[in-house]
Amino acid sequence: MKALVYQGNKTLRFQDVPDPNPSEDELLIKVEAVGICGSDMHAYLGHDARRPAPLILGHEAAGTIVGGARDGERVTVNPLVNCGTCPTCLSGRENLCPTRQIISMQPREGAFAQFIAMPPSNLVTVPDAIPLAKAALAEPLAVSWHAVRLALAARHPADDGKALVLGGGAIGLAAALALQAMGAPDVTIVEPNAARRAFLANTCGQSAVADAQGSYSIVIDAVGFAATRAAASALAAPGGVIAHVGLGEDTGGLDVRRMTLQEITFIGTYTYTAQDFRDTAQAIFDGRLGALDWTEHRSLTDGNRAFQDLLSGAVAAPKIVLDPWA
């Protein structure tokens, strides 16, 4: 099969690789749409030791089951593979499984390829009316769905629900959509890139600004740099909630003194539970997350150029979705 393989710092190669060999408890999936994630970019830049070269990246996938009793079934893929037997898995917190694996990270190759192998429990059936390119957004949308669910659960009932999202990429936009789907009355996205800010406003119907003032009951940091953590610390209202999703930098930024004195709740949140993934997929199918028409589509053969364009800031759309067969 053909795949886009990470070869080292800023180097991707479209090449022939061996077809996956599904185990007895896995199904073969023909990948028909796969999104580029921020974690893929971290690996591309050589910033993720968990993704050493050579490796097939990509984990935001949808496609069609090949072979067996479910042959031809259209599915979106939950890329988190967990043990299913530890205390966290049994309590419905599979994202905290100590032996959790994710495709695109050793030992599991990713979905920038024509085929992948996955356990049946990781697959959600996609209705015929839903394009697979939209179904592939279930993974990044689930990240934000999970973060927003936790933030809303931690919010004081008397708070006004005014929300701020730092970062207008896919995770930030997904957070805004999840907030709106869950009833947040006032959501603003901070995005410094003017082209993307215009895209968020004109194409996605979002309130997008270059900078924010005032205070917010909920702040979602979808970037994770020291500067955005500092902004979150300053902009969270007394008694408010910060949900930190981004992994841009490891340290710095939080104003722990203000957070302590003002009783601001900080939630670190990563990935999602299996139920969050299923709920997000259903929200896509039901239309509760909007038209989802904010992606740019390219061939997997153009994957290297897509990464270069994302790195240079030349892409206004929050997400690029690749087609391994185009």
Side-chain angles (χ1 to χ4, degrees):
M1 69 175 180
K2 296 291 188 180
L4 187 68
V5 183
Y6 169 60
Q7 301 289 345
N9 188 21
K10 297 183 182 179
T11 304
L12 295 165
R13 183 180 301 148
F14 186 72
Q15 65 184 71
D16 289 306
V17 299
D19 290 347
N21 184 24
S23 64
E24 291 184 359
D25 59 350
E26 292 181 327
L27 296 174
L28 185 65
I29 312 298
K30 177 184 177 182
V31 179
E32 297 183 59
V34 55
I36 299 176
C37 176
S39 63
D40 297 318
M41 181 60 72
H42 291 319
Y44 173 74
L45 296 174
H47 295 167
D48 192 342
R50 304 169 300 171
R51 292 180 166 93
L55 182 68
I56 303 172
L57 301 174
H59 58 268
E60 303 176 356
T64 304
I65 296 173
V66 178
R70 298 174 65 181
D71 181 63
E73 183 178 326
R74 304 165 77 248
V75 294
T76 186
V77 177
N78 178 345
L80 300 180
V81 182
N82 55 75
C83 74
T85 59
C86 70
T88 54
C89 283
L90 293 175
S91 66
R93 297 176 295 164
E94 301 90 348
N95 59 316
L96 302 180
C97 174
T99 60
R100 178 199 64 208
Q101 298 176 348
I102 184 171
I103 62 173
S104 80
M105 190 181 296
Q106 293 289 5
R108 288 184 174 269
E109 298 280 9
F112 288 158
Q114 292 179 320
F115 296 96
I116 56 172
M118 293 298 297
S121 59
N122 284 69
L123 307 177
V124 175
T125 302
V126 178
D128 290 341
I130 304 298
L132 288 174
K134 290 187 179 182
L137 298 175
E139 198 283 333
L141 288 165
V143 171
S144 295
W145 185 277
H146 177 73
V148 167
R149 179 174 65 80
L150 295 180
L152 290 174
R155 180 177 68 89
H156 192 281
D159 289 347
D160 60 12
K162 186 179 178 183
L164 183 71
V165 178
L166 302 177
I171 298 300
L173 173 57
L177 294 173
L179 283 160
Q180 291 156 354
M182 296 185 198
D186 184 353
V187 182
T188 301
I189 301 175
V190 174
E191 172 52 54
N193 183 298
R196 179 162 288 175
R197 195 163 61 246
F199 188 95
L200 290 168
N202 299 331
T203 301
C204 307
Q206 297 294 318
S207 172
V209 299
D211 196 10
Q213 305 292 329
S215 63
Y216 299 82
S217 297
I218 297 171
V219 180
I220 309 290
D221 184 349
V223 181
F225 281 105
T228 55
R229 284 190 288 270
S233 300
L235 293 166
V241 179
I242 299 171
H244 188 272
V245 191
L247 290 171
E249 287 179 329
D250 292 345
T251 59
L254 284 180
D255 184 345
V256 177
R257 178 178 177 81
R258 180 174 188 269
M259 291 171 61
T260 301
L261 293 175
Q262 299 295 329
E263 294 189 358
I264 296 168
T265 300
F266 179 90
I267 302 172
T269 168
Y270 182 66
T271 66
Y272 37 80
T273 68
Q275 187 61 53
D276 284 321
F277 188 90
R278 290 189 292 268
D279 290 345
T280 302
Q282 191 59 54
I284 292 173
F285 306 155
D286 294 344
R288 282 178 284 146
L289 294 171
L292 301 180
D293 55 356
W294 35 264
T295 56
E296 181 178 320
H297 298 264
R298 301 193 189 187
S299 168
L300 188 63
T301 60
D302 191 37
N304 190 50
R305 171 59 63 183
F307 272 80
Q308 293 173 6
D309 289 346
L310 286 167
L311 185 61
S312 68
V315 180
K319 176 68 64 178
I320 292 179
V321 177
L322 303 174
D323 182 346
W325 300 91

